[in-house]
Amino acid sequence: MIRPAVLALAAALILPPLLPPFYVTLAAYVGLAAIVATGLVLLTGISGQTSFGQASFVGIAAYAAALLDGRPFTGLLAGLAAAGVVAWLLGFITARLSGHFLALCSVAWGLSFYSLFGTLPWLHGFNGIGGIAALPFAPGPRAGLAVVWAVVALGLWGAQNLLDSRSGRALRALNGARLMAESMGVDTVRLARGVFVLAALYAAAAGFLFAHVQRFISPTPFGLTASIEYLFMIILGGADRLAGALLGAVLVVVLRDALTDWVPRLTGAPGSYEAMAFSLLVIVMLHHAPRGVLSLLPQGRAAAPRPAAPPPPPPVQPIAAAGGEPVLLLDRISRRFGGLAANQDVSLAVHAGEIVALIGPNGAGKSTLFNIASGVLPPSAGSVRLFGRVLGALPARRRAALGLARTFQHVRLLQGETVRDNIALGAHLAGRAGMLRALLRLDRAEEARLRAAAEAAAARVGLADRLDTPAGDLPLGQQRIVEIARALCLTPRLLLLDEPAAGLRHLEKERLADLLRQLRASGMAVLLVEHDMGFVMRLADRVVVMDFGQTIAAGPPAQVRADPAVRDAYLGGVA
Amino acid sequence: MNLFVLLTLLQDGLTTGAIYLLLAVGLLIVFSVTRVIFVPQGDLLALAALTVAQLEAGSVPGTLWLLDALAVLAVLADLLAGSRWRALRWLPVPALVTLATLFGPRAAAWYAMPLGLAIITPFGPLLWRLVFRRAAGATMLTLLILAMALHFVLEGAGMVLFGPDGAATAPLTEAAFAVGPLTLSGQSLAVVGLCAALVALLRWFFGATIEGKALRAAASDRLGARLVGIDAARSGGLAFALAAFVAALSGVLIAALTPIGYDTGFAIGLKGFVAAIVGGLVSYPAAAAGAVLVGVLESLGSFWASAYRDVIVYALLVPVLLLLSWRGRRAGEET
């Protein structure tokens, strides 16, 4: 498959000398739109933040370029800086919002900036600013076109690098899996803000070029309608892929132009029907391709080279001596939801080199306790000590950095991504490269290290031959194993597993038990919630039984099995 | 500004606030049942105002033919989707409305308003059938984009059918009451009263009738509602009908206070949306407070800084959204 960046570069080289004059302008518009749409794919398609305000950032940079006409490099820097700072400030609000709150918020600032462009006297209102110089190193329209498409190629190349990196994996997790990402140590608020600023910078780059290529600006192309059109582009093209930005920009700009040309000829009434016809087309296209036109094309997923034989699982590194101070100590934890006491005075300790199982009937309060230990829920009373530190309201992300890893009862994987990428998300904290280094491809050494860590974890759980499979294609039991591999990538000292054996076949369970025994031998502490009694009793060193929010028994498996209170809870008093 | 001006502005603000509340309620109903942000509600509002204005002037509005065309399209869509006689269910209401327009009294204000509502309300289920139902399983973003595209289509239709000029409708009443130095307009009182009554009626509908309860069930748990035999498509159609009715009524009421053009609806609908957000998109009483706040703020804003009055309303969102984000750090996020 040809990379979109390569296509754009080819366009920059081929189009300018070949196109007839009329199409030179049109092709430049397509390119400018593609730059904005590329940023929007990162922001909306990949990380799930809908913005109806991208045209504002285009406008900010275009006005900066127009006001600083004659000093284009200052203009470019000022435009990028202004758009970046505005996005950074707006990011304080947007990064915490999701879904429709963010969409509406962006409509609000989109309208506000448009109204400011139109009313601020020093921007010349709706008369606009004309006579802007052409780009100094590209005087004619054809040279301008070449520059525009070179920037398109550069932008796509950077975005493509970003998606193939540590930050790229975390960005995908922002879309509906923030809780999971936080548990892997990702600072989701910071990341959301980062990609918001980045998308604004893409828009600003297009704005600077727009001012110098079109050489006249007024508020109209920076209004809400323009912002909506950018969204039309990525949705029509295919919002979750960069090629979608390119295809969408071509579709929307060319269609619009064709309709403006043809509809008046058919209806005889200029200026009434184009917007309608265009929007009708959008609706019809979305009915037939709700995931974008790109999803209709046959796609050859690039088959990654596969290792001939899966490498042997790496030896487990010893991480701690067994025994000693508890790794996790829950001290008299209570948690109430309104009138319901999910946990009452529950205490529990897990030591290094020990597997503790938490069992109990449904509704006993196991998951609540689990969420309190991992930092998803704060306790109403009681304290949590992790590795000897008392944790107040320490968020899940910081607990991950301390050495706590977890899996989820309801599997939280990025279903469309490969097993390798899903597991590598667990290695997030093992890397440091930020978005900028990823964009410029300066993170390759580190990225290779993270991938190796992911592949080693996959080998250890027996998934070495499924690395390139999309995680959603695996059976549910295997998906749980992917979650365990992802957790192991954090190199944790404490592993929390929520029903790891559910959905596994007998042999798979045996393999999982072996793995957990190995981890125990290395000194890892494991706390697991599980319903499969046979599995628990064979594996755990100690078993804690909960019922109605309280601990009713604790001790070695044999002792717990014989406990009359436990029999009552599971079988009903009469038995 | 003196007390008199302030009171007049407050009266204006309350009146428009009541209308924003109606729109907010319509948006909440549609969103909670179908996950669609009904952006075109504002356009239906404008179409309703323009329709009633034409009926009052004694001519047949173009929206009537648009309605008939949509009904025929819906029948065709149903036939293509494999249903047979049931496809004809889209025809009776538009047919009846068409007859009532063509053979009813002309240029009578008392007849024009209910007739206008009857023309615009069926747009709701028809648009649901033709535009949204097919994409019911799509992502929220795709649904939102569909709604945006539909907004442009309806706005364009308004331009084609009614031209660029705004129109005003007859007020419900010309009465005015003097309270001290202040003149209370009868229309304002009627608007506030009608809105309050309608909201109360909707509350009753959702609390006490089986249809209303079914809608609430569909809103809180789609799959669960289907399992107990609630028809998801039917709930969607009903939700859109309610929203279209509410939009049409708002349009008729607001056009008596300020002229409405084909392109004014979007901004008004957006303010209803702001009111709904201020109410947290969850609770009806909070949305009511939000709506009044938006109306009053807009009215005061237009007195002090009329060029920036929309910016002021949208800026209200910032503290509200900040508050929401502080309270539940991930508003709208999965648990």
Side-chain angles (χ1 to χ4, degrees):
Chain A
M1 203 171 87
I2 307 171
R3 295 275 193 158
V6 177
L7 271 179
L9 191 62
L13 296 175
I14 298 168
L15 293 183
L18 292 186
L19 281 182
F22 171 76
Y23 291 102
V24 168
T25 321
L26 191 66
Y29 282 146
V30 172
L32 291 169
I35 299 171
V36 185
T38 304
L40 200 56
V41 163
L42 294 176
L43 180 67
T44 303
I46 301 293
S47 63
Q49 305 178 69
T50 309
S51 166
F52 281 98
Q54 292 313 98
S56 311
F57 299 120
V58 181
I60 289 172
Y63 274 102
L67 292 177
L68 292 166
D69 190 21
R71 283 169 293 165
F73 291 100
T74 320
L76 174 61
L77 288 180
L80 288 173
V85 167
V86 168
W88 187 73
L89 290 174
L90 282 172
F92 276 101
I93 306 172
T94 61
R96 290 171 188 276
L97 299 172
S98 60
H100 294 101
F101 290 103
L102 176 56
L104 178 78
C105 192
S106 68
V107 170
W109 91 65
L111 286 173
S112 305
F113 274 103
Y114 176 66
S115 140
L116 287 179
F117 293 145
T119 43
L120 290 178
W122 44 281
L123 296 181
H124 303 275
F126 284 88
N127 296 328
I129 305 175
I132 304 168
L135 290 169
F137 42 85
R142 286 177 192 278
L145 176 64
V147 172
V148 166
W149 276 91
V151 174
V152 175
L154 197 66
L156 284 167
W157 177 74
Q160 184 177 296
N161 293 340
L162 178 63
L163 287 181
D164 182 29
S165 78
R166 170 179 176 267
S167 302
R169 283 187 293 272
L171 278 178
R172 290 199 167 93
L174 283 186
N175 195 356
R178 284 194 176 199
L179 184 69
M180 182 272 282
E182 286 273 328
S183 298
M184 299 302 132
V186 179
D187 188 342
T188 54
V189 170
R190 207 183 131 179
L191 191 69
R193 208 154 126 204
V195 72
F196 186 67
V197 171
L198 183 66
L201 292 179
Y202 271 87
F208 167 80
L209 291 172
F210 181 88
H212 287 292
V213 169
Q214 160 119 344
R215 306 181 63 183
F216 166 81
I217 59 170
S218 70
T220 315
F222 313 129
L224 185 60
T225 311
S227 287
I228 294 173
E229 257 178 34
Y230 292 126
L231 271 175
F232 279 173
M233 285 173 204
I234 66 162
I235 301 292
L236 281 183
D240 51 357
R241 282 155 66 194
L242 292 171
L246 204 54
L247 181 63
V250 175
L251 269 178
V252 168
V253 176
V254 171
L255 256 183
R256 263 228 102 110
D257 186 73
L259 287 175
T260 328
D261 204 23
W262 278 99
V263 172
R265 283 196 219 172
L266 293 175
T267 60
S272 307
Y273 294 91
E274 294 99 80
M276 249 171 99
F278 174 69
S279 304
L280 273 176
L281 267 177
V282 170
I283 292 175
V284 171
M285 280 158 95
L286 280 181
H287 278 169
H288 289 93
R291 290 173 48 76
V293 174
L294 208 55
S295 67
L296 299 180
L297 304 179
Q299 21 177 319
R301 222 178 212 284
R306 218 185 230 198
V316 178
Q317 301 289 326
I319 49 175
E325 200 189 347
V327 166
L328 172 70
L329 181 64
L330 300 177
D331 190 18
R332 279 166 293 157
I333 297 287
S334 295
R335 171 73 205 192
R336 281 175 295 277
F337 295 102
L340 175 79
N343 289 158
Q344 286 176 46
D345 275 335
V346 181
S347 296
L348 186 152
V350 188
H351 298 79
E354 184 183 36
I355 298 179
V356 177
L358 188 58
I359 65 172
N362 286 327
K366 303 183 300 287
S367 293
T368 305
L369 197 65
F370 205 86
N371 282 334
I372 288 172
S374 61
V376 176
L377 276 178
S380 310
S383 72
V384 180
R385 282 173 82 92
L386 191 65
F387 312 123
R389 278 181 59 175
V390 177
L391 307 180
L394 198 69
R397 157 169 59 89
R398 309 287 290 277
R399 294 182 194 216
L402 286 178
L404 181 155
R406 69 168 294 185
T407 65
F408 294 87
Q409 186 188 351
H410 302 289
V411 173
R412 294 189 179 193
L413 294 173
L414 306 178
Q415 301 279 328
E417 303 302 317
T418 61
V419 168
R420 178 190 284 109
D421 279 342
N422 268 291
I423 296 178
L425 190 60
H428 190 81
L429 287 173
R432 300 190 47 78
M435 286 212 256
L436 190 63
R437 268 169 70 192
L439 276 168
L440 301 174
R441 218 170 169 73
L442 298 174
D443 61 342
R444 287 300 104 183
E446 182 188 293
E447 179 64 15
R449 200 157 52 73
L450 299 190
R451 279 164 165 263
E455 283 163 18
R460 189 186 280 181
V461 300
L463 283 172
D465 55 339
R466 310 304 295 271
L467 279 167
D468 296 304
T469 314
D473 291 359
L474 294 179
L476 191 61
Q478 297 267 299
Q479 294 191 20
R480 292 186 181 281
I481 301 297
V482 176
E483 285 221 324
I484 294 175
R486 184 178 64 194
L488 289 180
C489 257
L490 271 162
T491 55
R493 285 191 284 161
L494 170 63
L495 185 60
L496 303 182
L497 302 176
D498 204 342
E499 301 194 15
L504 292 190
R505 282 172 295 193
H506 180 68
L507 277 177
E508 292 171 331
K509 279 185 190 170
E510 287 307 309
R511 211 169 340 144
L512 175 62
D514 282 343
L515 171 68
L516 294 180
R517 286 191 191 103
Q518 275 180 38
L519 294 172
R520 169 170 65 189
S522 75
M524 195 180 290
V526 179
L527 173 66
L528 56 97
V529 169
E530 185 50 68
H531 279 297
D532 182 337
M533 281 303 143
F535 182 79
V536 164
M537 294 297 172
R538 279 196 301 281
L539 184 66
D541 298 300
R542 285 191 301 122
V543 176
V544 176
V545 189
M546 289 183 71
D547 196 17
F548 294 113
Q550 289 170 312
T551 316
I552 57 170
Q559 181 192 329
V560 163
R561 200 164 4 188
D563 193 307
V566 177
R567 297 184 163 235
D568 273 4
Y570 271 89
L571 301 173
V574 201
Chain B
M1 183 195 321
N2 59 28
L3 189 65
F4 170 72
V5 177
L6 182 68
L7 285 174
T8 315
L9 289 175
L10 278 181
Q11 187 191 346
D12 281 357
L14 266 177
T15 316
T16 40
I19 286 168
Y20 295 152
L21 171 61
L22 273 188
L23 293 173
V25 170
L27 282 166
L28 284 175
I29 293 171
V30 167
F31 177 70
S32 53
V33 177
T34 64
R35 296 181 312 145
V36 174
I37 296 274
F38 195 28
V39 183
Q41 203 189 15
D43 302 297
L44 289 184
L45 175 150
L47 287 180
L50 294 164
T51 300
V52 171
Q54 276 213 347
L55 287 171
E56 283 173 354
S59 48
V60 175
T63 35
L64 184 68
W65 310 126
L66 185 57
L67 173 69
D68 293 338
L70 287 177
V72 170
L73 279 177
V75 172
L76 289 178
D78 266 11
L79 287 176
L80 278 179
S83 77
R84 302 168 96 176
W85 293 109
R86 245 176 83 74
L88 296 180
R89 75 203 141 112
W90 296 108
L91 293 181
V93 173
L96 216 65
V97 174
T98 308
L99 292 176
T101 312
L102 295 181
F103 300 106
R106 289 286 169 96
W110 63 268
Y111 190 68
M113 185 175 149
L115 185 60
L117 296 183
I119 292 177
I120 297 301
T121 304
F123 273 77
L126 284 167
L127 293 175
W128 154 248
R129 173 65 188 87
L130 290 170
V131 177
F132 296 104
R133 214 180 89 184
R134 190 170 168 148
T139 61
M140 294 231 268
L141 181 59
T142 302
L143 291 175
L144 181 60
I145 294 299
L146 275 176
M148 279 288 175
L150 182 59
H151 148 65
F152 286 118
V153 173
L154 289 181
E155 195 180 75
M159 164 73 193
V160 170
L161 296 176
F162 296 102
D165 298 326
T169 56
L172 294 171
T173 161
E174 304 276 2
F177 311 93
V179 180
L182 192 67
T183 315
L184 281 183
S185 100
Q187 175 75 7
S188 285
L189 288 178
V191 168
V192 173
L194 244 160
C195 291
L198 196 65
V199 170
L201 193 70
L202 284 171
R203 244 197 123 99
W204 169 81
F205 172 73
F206 283 109
T209 66
I210 196 81
E211 289 278 0
K213 285 179 182 172
L215 269 190
R216 268 169 54 204
S220 76
D221 183 348
R222 229 169 300 276
L223 182 65
R226 266 171 61 188
L227 288 177
V228 297
I230 293 168
D231 182 350
R234 189 182 151 82
S235 327
L238 186 58
F240 270 81
L242 281 174
F245 173 73
V246 156
L249 184 66
S250 309
V252 176
L253 292 177
I254 209 167
L257 300 166
T258 164
I260 296 293
Y262 76 98
D263 58 348
T264 16
F266 179 66
I268 297 174
L270 207 58
K271 281 171 199 152
F273 195 28
V274 173
I277 289 275
V278 171
L281 259 176
V282 279
S283 112
Y284 293 76
V292 172
L293 187 63
V294 170
V296 169
L297 211 66
E298 185 189 13
S299 160
L300 295 178
S302 55
F303 181 77
W304 276 313
S306 61
Y308 297 98
R309 82 177 184 182
D310 286 349
V311 178
I312 290 173
V313 171
Y314 300 130
L316 170 68
L317 277 174
V318 174
V320 171
L321 289 172
L322 267 180
L323 197 75
L324 278 175
S325 68
W326 277 108
R327 221 177 45 186
R329 268 200 45 172
R330 298 176 196 89
E333 168 90 6
E334 90 281 37
T335 48

